[in-house]
């Protein structure tokens, strides 16, 4: 069985029985998307279609974050796993394959941990005064890093300081392009550079261009942010990946259920450029959060706090 959902879909469509079942499931998902109420027979038909596809390679297929047909791949995945997304906050399963470069990430994580704690700062970062500025200079040495960073910066700062409102959707797409297409050695340096003062912290915080990609004029409710995310296939996928890889456990020494901080950091980076884009909350700390509030959440306050807590009080992250 192929692990790539695009290939797995092609294999399914070439088989008449699988094709018919898959088309049925596509119609079920379409009805859900349009909020159409299904009668009893239709619901049974949808459930049977999902169960029947459990025997095909589609059930175990996954996507790559840097693949060319990523959105198509994710559409296939969520068609097959449509029952997981009925307004639930816990999506359980990531549509993305586990990163193959775990050791590479682990090494870098240890270096980052040393940097954030302030050990050997000048030796490792090369510039103790403003490592984030140095990280930007290193990015500028790469044509690709410089071009894609310039691209999203120009999109995300349009309208800043004027009456024009920046195009948040285009800004998010530019951010995702940067973090997906530029080698991680560059993107991680820029995002996780260690800071000892507010000038450095401000540069790090503005990596994500807060005024456009992160902040609204007023903080929306976190439940609204979640709904926006679940309606967006990329965001829903990144959230599922984040939940799987950054699941906190109180009793665990490292705070992670999967004991893999590297995969958690990568999943965190994947959230940037989605409706649930996180960012540093100030120039003087490494605390991160979503731009949302749980005020006026009524009887859904607990669910709202859970969403905010994924970032604000996540021991694994």
């Amino acid at each position: 069985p192929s692990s790539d959902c695009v290939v797995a879909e092609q294999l399914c469509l070439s088989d008449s029985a699988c094709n018919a079942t898959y088309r049925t499931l596509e119609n079920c998902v379409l009805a859900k998307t349009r909020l159409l109420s299904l009668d009893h027979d239709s619901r049974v038909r949808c459930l049977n279609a999902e169960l029947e596809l459990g025997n095909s390679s589609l059930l175990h297929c996954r996507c790559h974050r840097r693949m060319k047909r990523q959105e198509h791949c994710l559409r296939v995945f969520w068609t097959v796993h449509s029952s997981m997304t009925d307004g639930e906050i816990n999506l359980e399963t990531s549509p993305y394959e586990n990163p193959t470069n775990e050791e590479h990430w682990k090494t870098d994580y240890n270096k980052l941990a040393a940097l954030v704690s302030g050990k050997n700062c000048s030796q490792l970062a090369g510039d103790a005064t403003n490592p984030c500025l140095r990280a930007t200079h290193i990015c500028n040495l790469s044509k690709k890093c410089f071009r894609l960073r310039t691209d999203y910066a120009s999109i995300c700062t349009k309208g800043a300081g004027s009456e024009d409102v920046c195009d948040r959707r285009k800004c998010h797409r530019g951010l995702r392009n940067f973090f997906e297409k530029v080698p991680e050695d560059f993107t991680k340096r820029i995002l996780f550079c260690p800071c000892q003062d507010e000038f450095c912290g401000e540069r790090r915080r503005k990596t994500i261009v807060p005024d456009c990609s992160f902040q609204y004029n007023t903080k929306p409710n976190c439940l609204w942010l979640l709904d926006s995310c679940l309606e967006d296939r990329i965001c829903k996928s990144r959230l599922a990946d984040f939940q799987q890889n950054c699941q906190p456990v109180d009793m665990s020494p490292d705070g992670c259920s999967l004991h893999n901080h590297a995969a958690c950091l990568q999943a965190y980076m994947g959230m940037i450029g989605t409706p649930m884009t996180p960012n540093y909350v100030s120039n003087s700390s490494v605390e991160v959060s979503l731009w949302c509030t749980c005020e006026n959440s009524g009887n859904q306050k607990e669910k709202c706090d859970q969403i905010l807590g994924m970032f604000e009080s996540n021991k694994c992250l």
Side-chain angles (χ1 to χ4, degrees), residues 2 10 28 36 85 95 120 127 159 176 198 214 222:
S2 172
Q10 290 170 349
C28 297
L36 302 175
T85 61
N120 303 324
D127 184 353
R176 289 201 309 272
E198 290 208 14
F214 179 64
C222 298

Side-chain angles (χ1 to χ4, degrees), residues 221-255:
N221 188 281
C222 298
L223 294 167
W224 177 84
L225 218 59
L226 176 68
D227 288 342
S228 300
C229 184
L230 295 179
E231 289 171 8
D232 181 292
R233 200 173 286 128
I234 292 264
C235 187
K236 178 170 62 176
S237 302
R238 301 297 173 83
L239 181 60
D241 194 50
F242 180 81
Q243 286 184 328
Q244 178 177 296
N245 289 297
C246 296
Q247 188 66 40
V249 178
D250 288 335
M251 301 301 290
S252 173
D254 66 354

Side-chain angles (χ1 to χ4, degrees), residues 65 68 70-71 147-158 166-182 187 207-209 212-214 232 234-235 238 269-277:
R65 192 174 284 120
K68 285 184 178 178
Q70 182 184 166
E71 291 201 45
R147 176 172 56 82
L148 290 172
R149 184 174 168 276
T150 304
D151 284 352
Y152 87 72
S154 64
I155 296 167
C156 297
T157 52
K158 277 181 182 174
C166 92
D167 190 325
R168 191 178 299 269
R169 189 178 291 272
K170 281 186 179 178
C171 173
H172 281 167
R173 194 184 305 129
L175 272 167
R176 289 201 309 272
N177 265 341
F178 177 73
F179 284 102
E180 285 174 20
K181 294 180 179 177
V182 174
T187 56
T207 293
I208 303 172
V209 200
C212 181
S213 67
F214 179 64
D232 181 292
I234 292 264
C235 187
R238 301 297 173 83
M269 288 173 73
M271 293 300 300
I272 297 169
T274 71
M276 285 181 74
T277 293

Side-chain angles (χ1 to χ4, degrees), residues 36 43 54 63 70 75 91 94 97 99 110 146 148 181 201 210 212 218 238 242 253 257-259 313:
L36 302 175
R43 286 200 300 272
C63 304
Q70 182 184 166
R75 180 179 62 76
L91 301 176
S94 171
E97 286 196 352
N110 290 334
F146 175 73
L148 290 172
K181 294 180 179 177
C212 181
T218 56
R238 301 297 173 83
F242 180 81
S257 61
L258 297 182
H259 311 293
S313 53

